[in-house]
Amino acid sequence: MSFELTLIAGLIALASLLLSRRTSNPDTFFRGHSEQGTAPGLWTLVFSQVTTWIFARSLLNAAILGYYYGIWGTLAYALYYLSFITGGIIIDQLRFRHGFNSIQAFLEDRFGNWGSRCYNLVIGVRLISEVFANLLVIGILFGAVGSQLYTAAIIGFAAVTLLYSMLGGLHASLRTDLLQMLVFIATLALLIGLATHSGVLSLDNLLFKEFQISDPGPVLMLVALLQVWSYPMHDPVMMDRGLLADRPTTRKSFLHAAWISILCILAFGSLGIVAGAQAQSGEAMTDALQRLLGDLPMLLFNAALVISAMSTLDSTLSSSSKLVIIDMKLLPTRVSNGRGVMLLFMLLGVWLVFVGNKDLFSAVAVSGTASMYLLPVIFFSLLGGRRDIPLWSYLGSFALALAGAALYFTESSGYSQLMGDAHKYSKLLLICLVVLVGGCTLFALGVVTGARQRLANEGSPA
């Protein structure tokens, strides 16, 4: 299967290279505009949003959660894609109510330099983790961890994706996303059709796991419903695509991206569910699927992962260059500097593949927990319109979320057992609730103390 999968990956890479036009225009490279200055259309935005969020790690996680926890595990992962709804609200408020064209500018206006510094730290780590996690999936598809095939696949894939990303930046990413999404949809539809025709994708198999609110799947659904409010704001790939078009186009793109991505995640995750329903004792998910589906469907399964990884990597690299050059202003706004940033982030991602944590979902959950420091920002500052939140409230929420993310990582990875022997998702739910309540409390206290201070100042003699 490695030869066929390599051929598919090569053809998609070649097509992506042909679609990527070299540019020296900063607006084209960093902001996705055409050489004539026009913004992308609705369906280009929709497909770009979907294909960059249905990345290889997401597909694999949706299937793995379905394998272990049934339909409730896959549904839990699909609920994260309600982030397109909350993300659309965030972008609409940011741009068309408050008049800002970046999250950093809004946070600096409300909380000063520390507002953007904390945010840039969180999303910088997220971008690097996206590179490493998708490269990791590619390596696993082609060979055992540490093997020559594994290493060659990661390096080759990284090199090709980096090459066409450096040619055209965000504009090239939008163009290739459209192609990659069309190929992905066709691949997924054929895969689901073959699975249904074989009788494997049956209702009995999909519902093999009963609903118990205390089981990991339903608990993770509750976690997703908590994290979905802040998750999109810390995802620069999604936020960047919300800054490109006019208000009606932007609103529609987020709404369409939500339902399309949820359907895709549920469809792919259903394969993990049926594998779990029919798995033999000690059998891995991919081995169960190979036995149930055969060679052609498994080739399509792996091809879908390759396509999604490629589309995510080029978008992550373009957002990385925009973060450093446009948003953080660390280097002059030149295309050559953007290409250098892309190279740096890719090298960091490749390095992490060979030294980093291999627990895919832990990376997502840690990122999602860290993002919850933004939840009171959204509730109080963005939606509530308050400008009187003190810096200590913001920094306190940030510290609390980072502490929660670190605690979950150590608990889920087995480095600590401070929270007892409960399932890791039960621990995650408790951590999220504490971060949510604690962060909002800090902001509420900031409002109250600020109001008292103003009253005291007004009452004091001149």
Side-chain angles (χ1 to χ4, degrees), residues 30-86:
F30 294 110
R31 304 185 189 281
H33 295 165
S34 68
E35 293 288 350
Q36 293 74 38
T38 56
L42 173 62
W43 287 105
T44 296
L45 271 182
V46 171
F47 284 164
S48 183
Q49 288 273 37
V50 173
T51 192
T52 53
W53 251 56
I54 302 181
F55 33 85
R57 186 181 66 184
S58 295
L59 293 173
L60 199 56
N61 281 336
I64 290 172
L65 289 170
Y67 180 75
Y68 287 110
Y69 310 123
I71 193 170
W72 316 114
T74 297
L75 276 173
Y77 208 82
L79 285 177
Y80 275 97
Y81 288 79
L82 291 176
S83 292
F84 280 116
I85 303 299
T86 53

Side-chain angles (χ1 to χ4, degrees), residues 153-378:
I154 290 171
I155 294 175
F157 194 83
V160 171
T161 309
L162 178 64
L163 176 59
Y164 78 77
S165 299
M166 291 173 73
L167 287 175
L170 181 54
H171 185 63
S173 177
L174 291 168
R175 286 171 60 85
T176 55
D177 285 346
L178 184 59
L179 165 70
Q180 290 157 359
M181 186 61 195
L182 292 173
V183 176
F184 173 79
I185 289 176
T187 302
L188 182 59
L190 181 56
L191 175 57
I192 296 300
L194 290 172
T196 303
H197 184 263
S198 69
V200 171
L201 204 61
S202 66
L203 193 59
D204 287 341
N205 283 338
L206 290 173
L207 299 177
F208 83 97
K209 183 78 73 174
E210 293 184 0
F211 181 87
Q212 296 287 338
I213 188 63
S214 59
D215 284 350
V219 169
L220 194 55
M221 292 171 69
L222 295 176
V223 172
L225 291 174
L226 291 177
Q227 292 189 349
V228 75
W229 290 96
S230 57
Y231 204 93
M233 194 171 182
H234 97 302
D235 185 88
V237 173
M238 179 190 287
M239 293 293 97
D240 286 349
R241 280 153 180 74
L243 304 172
L244 303 179
D246 58 63
R247 192 175 197 176
T249 302
T250 301
R251 281 179 166 177
K252 291 176 184 177
S253 72
F254 276 87
L255 290 173
H256 286 309
W259 69 264
I260 293 172
S261 59
I262 288 172
L263 286 180
C264 289
I265 286 292
L266 290 176
F268 197 88
S270 67
L271 299 171
I273 299 171
V274 299
Q278 296 295 320
Q280 298 172 357
S281 178
E283 192 175 30
M285 181 187 72
T286 51
D287 293 334
L289 284 174
Q290 180 71 50
R291 174 173 54 81
L292 293 169
L293 299 178
D295 290 339
L296 178 58
M298 281 307 293
L299 175 62
L300 295 173
F301 181 92
N302 292 333
L305 293 174
V306 170
I307 296 164
S308 60
M310 189 174 293
S311 65
T312 303
L313 276 175
D314 61 40
S315 300
T316 302
L317 293 175
S318 63
S319 288
S320 300
S321 65
K322 178 178 177 290
L323 169 67
V324 173
I325 306 299
I326 303 297
D327 298 325
M328 297 178 69
K329 300 179 176 63
L330 295 181
L331 295 169
T333 307
R334 292 198 292 265
V335 170
S336 58
N337 288 333
R339 290 177 176 135
V341 172
M342 287 183 173
L343 175 61
L344 175 62
F345 272 73
M346 183 62 87
L347 290 175
L348 286 171
V350 171
W351 176 72
L352 282 173
V353 168
F354 298 107
V355 301
N357 176 19
K358 302 299 190 294
D359 187 340
L360 291 180
F361 191 75
S362 285
V364 175
V366 167
S367 174
T369 306
S371 78
M372 290 189 72
Y373 97 90
L374 291 165
L375 202 147
V377 175
I378 295 167

